[in-house]
Amino acid sequence: MSKLLKSCSLLALAVGGLTLNSAPASAAAYYSGGATLPFGVYLRWFQETNGGIALGSCVPSTTQCFAYAPTGSGAGITAFINEQSMNAVPSDTPYENASIPYAETPGNGYGAGGEFFDFAGSDAVLTATNISNYNAATGPLALRGPAIQVPTVGSPVAIAFNPTGLTIDPDREIPAGAKSATGGSSALYLSRRAYCGIFTGTITNWNDPILTADNLGTPLVAVSTPINVVVRQESSGTTFLFTRHLEAACNGAVDNSHPANPGNLANYSFGVGTGGPAAPITWPAGFTRATGSNGVAAAVDSTSGAIGYVSADYTAQAISPEIASPPPAANLQRRDSFDAGTDVATPGGLPLDLPIPPAPTYTQNSIDGLVIPAIDTTAPFTNDALWSAALDAAALHNPHDDTVAPIFDPANPEAYPIAGFTMLNFYSCYFPATETTAIRKFITDYTNGGVYDTAARNRGFAPLTASIKTAVKNLALNTAATQIRTGPSGTFCTIATGS
């Protein structure tokens, strides 16, 4: 795999809480990259920790720090399996540090040449093929030990829109409270029939009767106004999460939950994946393409009638958005409900007619269905498959057996419907011990919460629940057969060089 070009812009994440009690003999940077969706969260997790190194100050020769290149989930997983840096220049680089080169000897693995890939970020789970390649005779299992994929935060996929020219009914009730808790950044409500229609290209105008009915019978526009749909054009974990939901929920089934416009849901058939060369999405030709959530958000913000999907931190939903002019986020139909003029509250919950915003509270309701797998200590290399299956099933592939229509949603009825986990992929074995200590401390810090949880909520993401945090610690830190350690040690941990 070829090295990242020297001109590649990298994100330097300050170590902050990772600062070791005693400095290593020589400073080092820990190289990582992949998913762009949690980019801002990972940056702040280190910036906002006491003792953190300022952005752009990570210099491998003088500083111990973490470097993260936001190249996309697919590139991150590929680099993780090959133990090498990504083979593509990052296309989404709002933050830069050109002083950290990913210098490697082409064709060689970890430890040969300069600095090498140490862990990866992804919004897609490790597939059976990924795991098979990792465990293959030529894969990293023997050298680096079993793969460890653990969640970091729950992430909603927000539907951002341009409100210019739209008349949104002022009587539309939205969840009240702080954005970090319940959201409510806009009063635009999109039913299941609405967003399935928009993102399949079957609803093309803001004057569509379904959108009018969603808006309590008030037309959103006075004159015909085309809907400009903006989608990602590069490999993206956000696209993976979004298309997986559309494929499950927008299935052509009869939907009688919409009292004003009953009928069939639009059928999504354009593919499920990251949208990269290995998993392309064949969006309708009339859709606009943009790079990164920042590119989509900017296109939506500057284009009348535009709508697109982004991570929540690029919308006005977030307390601390990633861009200066973030578009608002639509609120989506909750499971089994549609506003029919009722205001009957469920016990201890929302009124039935309230749509769900992409806020941390409701995203946490989406991910709380994770069934934590038991740790296999006799064959630890099987845990990656067990965890991947559990993470994949937790939110988007948790079908609800609805008596009216087969609607696929998280099990919790007050869950934001389009959500999943973003994850980090670690090796079990590192060298030298200073690197092991730093990585173990990072996992300890983010699962302890505090400023890490606050930074996630401020950007529209949901911190892990207490039970998930404990499970992550048990898998990666506390179980002898699976925990991250310093090599060489045992059959599946022969690494004895690197930095």
Side-chain angles (χ1 to χ4, degrees):
M1 187 181 299
S2 62
K3 64 184 178 179
L4 275 180
L5 301 179
K6 187 174 182 180
S7 62
C8 170
S9 298
L10 299 175
L11 163 64
L13 297 182
V15 175
L18 308 182
T19 304
L20 305 180
N21 292 330
S22 59
S26 60
Y30 306 124
Y31 295 96
S32 62
T36 60
L37 183 148
F39 183 65
V41 174
Y42 292 165
L43 169 66
R44 271 72 178 197
W45 271 4
F46 297 106
Q47 275 190 321
E48 295 180 6
T49 304
N50 290 336
I53 302 169
L55 175 65
S57 298
C58 181
V59 180
S61 61
T62 60
T63 312
Q64 184 168 332
C65 49
F66 281 69
Y68 188 96
T71 57
S73 288
I77 288 177
T78 298
F80 178 74
I81 292 172
N82 286 278
E83 305 176 87
Q84 293 178 319
S85 59
M86 283 70 69
N87 62 349
V89 176
S91 56
D92 182 19
T93 53
Y95 305 97
E96 300 182 358
N97 185 338
S99 67
I100 306 177
Y102 272 67
E104 68 178 51
T105 302
N108 292 323
Y110 184 92
E115 302 295 348
F116 283 78
F117 200 69
D118 296 305
F119 58 95
S122 71
D123 308 312
V125 299
L126 294 172
T127 65
T129 299
N130 295 149
I131 295 168
S132 176
N133 291 339
Y134 185 94
N135 293 344
T138 57
L141 174 63
L143 181 70
R144 305 304 303 274
I148 297 177
Q149 183 173 61
V150 293
T152 52
V153 293
S155 174
V157 178
I159 295 180
F161 68 98
N162 188 312
T164 303
L166 300 185
T167 300
I168 300 175
D169 195 303
D171 293 329
R172 165 64 74 190
E173 187 179 2
I174 57 176
K179 291 182 183 180
S180 62
T182 56
S185 62
S186 80
L188 179 65
Y189 175 23
L190 295 180
S191 64
R192 180 63 48 87
R193 291 201 65 204
Y195 69 79
C196 284
I198 290 171
F199 286 96
T200 57
T202 58
I203 292 179
T204 59
N205 200 289
W206 286 103
N207 66 3
D208 190 278
I210 291 177
L211 298 180
T212 299
D214 287 356
N215 199 40
L216 299 179
T218 301
L220 289 170
V221 291
V223 296
S224 175
T225 304
I227 297 174
N228 297 301
V229 181
V230 185
V231 297
R232 294 280 288 271
Q233 66 182 355
E234 84 287 14
S235 178
S236 159
T238 311
T239 298
F240 168 75
L241 293 176
F242 190 59
T243 58
R244 192 173 68 163
H245 174 79
L246 295 181
E247 186 266 344
C250 307
N251 54 17
V254 175
D255 175 26
N256 293 321
S257 68
H258 200 305
N261 287 278
N264 288 1
L265 292 163
N267 187 53
Y268 175 83
S269 59
F270 306 123
V272 176
T274 61
I281 308 299
T282 57
W283 294 110
F287 287 9
T288 299
R289 274 67 172 173
T291 299
S293 279
N294 60 324
V296 173
V300 168
D301 181 62
S302 62
T303 306
S304 295
I307 193 168
Y309 64 91
V310 296
S311 57
D313 51 337
Y314 283 90
T315 72
Q317 169 62 51
I319 291 176
S320 302
E322 296 295 339
I323 56 177
S325 181
N331 302 313
L332 305 185
Q333 180 182 350
R334 57 184 293 177
R335 197 189 77 192
D336 302 338
S337 71
F338 183 87
D339 188 291
T342 63
D343 192 24
V344 181
T346 55
L350 292 175
L352 287 175
D353 64 345
L354 287 188
I356 302 293
T361 294
Y362 303 121
T363 301
Q364 198 156 52
N365 289 342
S366 299
I367 65 174
D368 68 1
L370 175 65
V371 178
I372 298 169
I375 297 173
D376 190 336
T377 59
T378 60
F381 48 84
T382 66
N383 287 300
D384 45 11
L386 294 173
W387 272 76
S388 290
L391 291 166
D392 187 57
L396 298 181
H397 276 181
N398 191 340
H400 170 64
D401 185 15
D402 188 87
T403 57
V404 178
I407 298 175
F408 289 76
D409 276 311
N412 191 317
E414 293 183 9
Y416 183 74
I418 312 177
F421 290 100
T422 192
M423 294 151 286
L424 286 175
N425 307 302
F426 295 100
Y427 301 109
S428 295
C429 307
Y430 290 89
F431 188 93
T434 50
E435 183 171 20
T436 307
T437 300
I439 288 174
R440 286 178 61 90
K441 190 171 193 308
F442 165 66
I443 296 173
T444 298
D445 286 349
Y446 93 76
T447 52
N448 281 345
V451 294
Y452 289 83
D453 284 1
T454 299
R457 288 192 192 95
N458 286 349
R459 284 149 191 90
F461 296 92
L464 302 180
T465 63
S467 61
I468 298 175
K469 289 177 179 178
T470 297
V472 169
K473 288 180 179 178
N474 286 340
L475 177 70
L477 305 176
N478 299 334
T479 303
T482 64
Q483 66 184 356
I484 293 172
R485 72 203 72 180
T486 301
S489 172
T491 304
F492 295 109
C493 191
T494 59
I495 185 171
T497 184
S499 61

